[in-house]
């Protein structure tokens, strides 16, 4: 019987993220500079996109617990190809935000698919799997964002054309290398039982609730880099290429950090320490970025942000998987994607409103303070789980 293998999953993850990463940074630029909509309106369009992404993540997460994973993933991929193909021929307002919203649903669907398949690979720890998948996701992000500066001018059609081809290639990988039967989840959930027996903290629901809240806050603030920051750089007089290079730096730093963590896993052995340290770096990045308009501080802020992201983001789905019973692993991985998308949904609207009524500097100071608060909350909560997990 064919099993889920890591390399084909990494190939699908890379292709999906490359196509996806050509969409989200471009949305604000296209809506604001080409269609001449305000940042608040652009934020609302991205809000609809992200809400659809949440629905796709959560609903499909539940379906993956009950039905054939292969058939669900093939269906989602085919729908994504179709939506991107429609985007080639139809653009402008209001067609673009409608197509973007439909794309949000299918991309959330496919994000959950990758996370679910990541828990189904035999013979490998979920920590290793999610670290490697996260690494290729960020290589895809670099490739996707660099494509934008070379392909996008005033029409969105070439971007949709490329996305159609990339998702089509991902569909071919699925057809050739993924098992067609339903695969049972690997039950790694003994840690949850052990912890609850060894401590007085009771249910792990608080851990889950704080993990999901942290994802919302983190992605809500992180999305400012993905959406409003591009317009901010253009307003400062920087060309779009600088924004693409910024994300190239993001990808390089992630490769370095993930390489160090893979080679020296005991450097930050505890997943809870990784969460605490990652959130700390994320928090200070916002304060560094607004120190000056000098490009050095902008790149330094991105480097700090990326170090935090590379440590924090792949740790969360592993923690959720370790404490999830096998019967709801798909649902909970869907919630990881769903709450991340909630943050991405609220971020552009929140950021656009703050910028329209104040300034980008105020926005990043608010973001930094919010990240400090969520870092402290995680630190105190994780102390108990670290002690229990010894």
């Amino acid at each position: 019987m064919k099993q889920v293998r890591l390399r084909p999953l990494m190939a699908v993850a890379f292709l999906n993220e490359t196509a996806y990463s050509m969409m989200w940074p471009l949305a604000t630029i296209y809506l604001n500079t080409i269609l001449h909509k305000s940042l608040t309106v652009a934020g609302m369009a991205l809000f609809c996109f992200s809400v659809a992404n949440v629905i796709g993540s959560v609903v499909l997460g539940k379906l993956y617990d009950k039905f054939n994973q292969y058939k669900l993933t093939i269906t989602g991929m085919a729908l994504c190809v179709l939506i991107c193909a429609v985007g080639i021929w139809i653009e402008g307002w209001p067609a673009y935000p409608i197509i973007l919203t439909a794309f949000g649903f299918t991309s959330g669907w496919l994000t959950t698919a990758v996370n679910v398949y990541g828990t189904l690979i035999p013979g490998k720890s979920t920590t290793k799997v999610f670290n490697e998948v996260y690494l290729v996701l960020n290589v895809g992000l670099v490739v996707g964002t660099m494509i934008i500066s070379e392909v996008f001018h005033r029409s969105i059609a070439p971007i949709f054309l490329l996305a159609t081809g990339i998702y089509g290639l991902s569909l071919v990988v699925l057809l050739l290398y993924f098992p067609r039967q339903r695969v049972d989840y690997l039950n790694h959930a003994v840690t949850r039982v052990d912890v609850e027996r060894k401590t007085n903290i009771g249910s792990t629901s608080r851990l889950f609730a704080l993990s999901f809240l942290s994802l919302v806050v983190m992605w809500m603030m992180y999305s400012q880099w993905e959406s409003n920051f591009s317009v901010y750089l253009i307003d400062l007089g920087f060309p779009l290429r600088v924004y693409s290079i910024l994300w190239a730096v993001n990808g390089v730093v992630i490769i370095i950090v993930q390489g160090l963590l893979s080679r020296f896993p005991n450097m930050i052995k505890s997943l809870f320490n990784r969460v605490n340290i990652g959130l700390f770096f994320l928090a200070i990045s916002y304060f560094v970025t607004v120190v000056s308009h000098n490009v050095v501080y902008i790149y330094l802020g991105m480097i700090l942000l990326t170090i935090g992201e590379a440590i924090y983001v792949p740790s969360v789905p592993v923690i959720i998987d370790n404490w999830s019973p096998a019967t709801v692993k798909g649902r909970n991985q869907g919630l990881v994607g769903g709450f991340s998308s909630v943050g991405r949904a609220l971020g552009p609207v929140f950021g656009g409103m703050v910028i329209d009524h104040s300034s980008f500097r105020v926005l990043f100071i608010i973001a930094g303070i919010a990240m400090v608060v969520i870092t402290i909350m995680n630190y105190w909560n994780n102390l108990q789980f670290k002690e229990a997990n010894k």
Side-chain angles (χ1 to χ4, degrees):
M1 183 174 69
K2 186 183 288 187
Q3 294 181 325
V4 182
R5 292 184 292 157
L6 180 57
R7 287 189 178 180
L9 178 62
M10 290 171 65
V12 168
F14 167 75
L15 291 169
N16 290 1
E17 186 66 19
T18 299
Y20 178 74
S21 297
M22 294 189 299
M23 298 293 185
W24 54 255
L26 192 58
T28 303
I29 297 172
Y30 182 65
L31 287 165
N32 182 252
T33 62
I34 305 300
L35 299 184
H36 306 294
K37 304 298 179 182
S38 70
L39 286 178
T40 301
V41 171
M44 289 302 300
L46 284 173
F47 176 81
C48 293
F49 163 81
S50 297
V51 167
N53 198 278
V54 171
I55 295 171
S57 296
V58 175
V59 171
L60 268 297
K62 293 182 178 181
L63 294 180
Y64 273 101
D65 287 328
K66 299 178 180 179
F67 300 105
N68 184 299
Q69 300 99 337
Y70 177 80
K71 291 180 180 178
L72 286 170
T73 307
I74 288 292
T75 302
M77 191 72 73
L79 282 173
C80 203
V81 171
L82 178 62
I83 290 166
C84 290
V86 171
I88 299 171
W89 306 104
I90 304 175
E91 56 181 294
W93 184 270
Y96 175 69
I98 293 172
I99 294 170
L100 190 67
T101 300
F103 175 76
F105 178 80
T106 54
S107 60
W109 180 335
L110 296 177
T111 297
T112 296
V114 170
N115 283 353
V116 167
Y117 273 117
T119 68
L120 297 174
I121 298 175
K124 292 184 181 292
S125 71
T126 49
T127 301
K128 179 177 177 60
V129 170
F130 279 105
N131 279 343
E132 295 199 21
V133 168
Y134 178 71
L135 181 60
V136 299
L137 286 175
N138 283 277
V139 175
L141 182 149
V142 172
V143 174
T145 51
M146 291 185 72
I147 286 173
I148 293 172
S149 63
E150 301 301 325
V151 175
F152 176 71
H153 298 289
R154 297 190 64 85
S155 173
I156 204 78
I159 299 295
F160 274 113
L161 178 62
L162 273 174
T164 302
I166 293 169
Y167 278 118
L169 182 57
S170 185
L171 181 59
V172 172
V173 175
L174 278 168
L175 290 168
L176 293 177
Y177 296 105
F178 279 64
R180 304 197 173 195
Q181 75 282 358
R182 174 172 171 77
V183 183
D184 292 330
Y185 289 106
L186 307 173
N187 193 352
H188 300 299
V190 293
T191 310
R192 174 180 178 175
V193 177
D194 291 343
V195 168
E196 292 186 2
R197 286 177 179 173
K198 290 165 63 177
T199 68
N200 295 321
I201 59 177
S203 171
T204 54
S205 59
R206 190 172 73 249
L207 173 65
F208 276 53
L210 185 56
S211 295
F212 293 142
L213 174 63
S214 299
L215 284 172
V216 172
V217 175
M218 180 267 176
W219 285 115
M220 184 175 174
M221 302 313 162
Y222 188 97
S223 66
Q224 307 311 319
W225 293 84
E226 299 175 338
S227 55
N228 296 313
F229 198 73
S230 58
V231 177
Y232 172 69
L233 285 179
I234 291 172
D235 287 345
L236 290 178
F238 293 106
L240 185 57
R241 186 178 295 274
V242 170
Y243 185 66
S244 293
I245 294 173
L246 200 65
W247 287 105
V249 170
N250 175 276
V252 170
V253 174
I254 283 173
I255 292 170
I256 293 171
V257 173
Q258 285 294 310
L260 288 172
L261 289 175
S262 297
R263 184 165 178 80
F264 307 104
N266 291 330
M267 184 168 57
I268 314 177
K269 188 174 182 180
S270 167
L271 286 169
F272 296 111
N273 280 341
R274 292 190 182 193
V275 166
N276 296 335
I277 293 170
L279 288 173
F280 172 76
F281 274 99
L282 285 160
I284 62 174
S285 69
Y286 295 94
F287 297 111
V288 170
T289 304
V290 295
V291 167
S292 169
H293 291 165
N294 190 301
V295 73
V296 172
Y297 288 93
I298 292 172
Y299 280 112
L300 179 58
M302 172 58 85
I303 290 169
L304 293 170
L305 180 91
T306 307
I307 292 171
E309 175 195 0
I311 297 171
Y312 169 74
V313 174
S315 302
V316 178
V318 179
I319 288 174
I320 298 300
D321 181 67
N322 286 347
W323 269 265
S324 295
T327 53
V328 292
K329 282 181 180 283
R331 183 201 69 182
N332 288 349
Q333 290 301 325
L335 289 172
V336 170
F339 280 102
S340 299
S341 294
V342 168
R344 290 179 185 268
L346 296 174
V349 178
F350 169 75
M353 292 177 66
V354 172
I355 293 170
D356 285 345
H357 292 89
S358 184
S359 68
F360 190 89
R361 180 183 176 84
V362 170
L363 171 62
F364 259 39
I365 291 173
I366 293 172
I369 293 171
M371 289 304 302
V372 168
V373 171
I374 208 69
T375 301
I376 294 170
M377 291 173 64
N378 273 272
Y379 174 78
W380 287 113
N381 184 71
N382 291 346
L383 278 177
Q384 301 173 68
F385 284 89
K386 281 167 60 182
E387 290 298 319
N389 207 30
K390 287 182 177 179

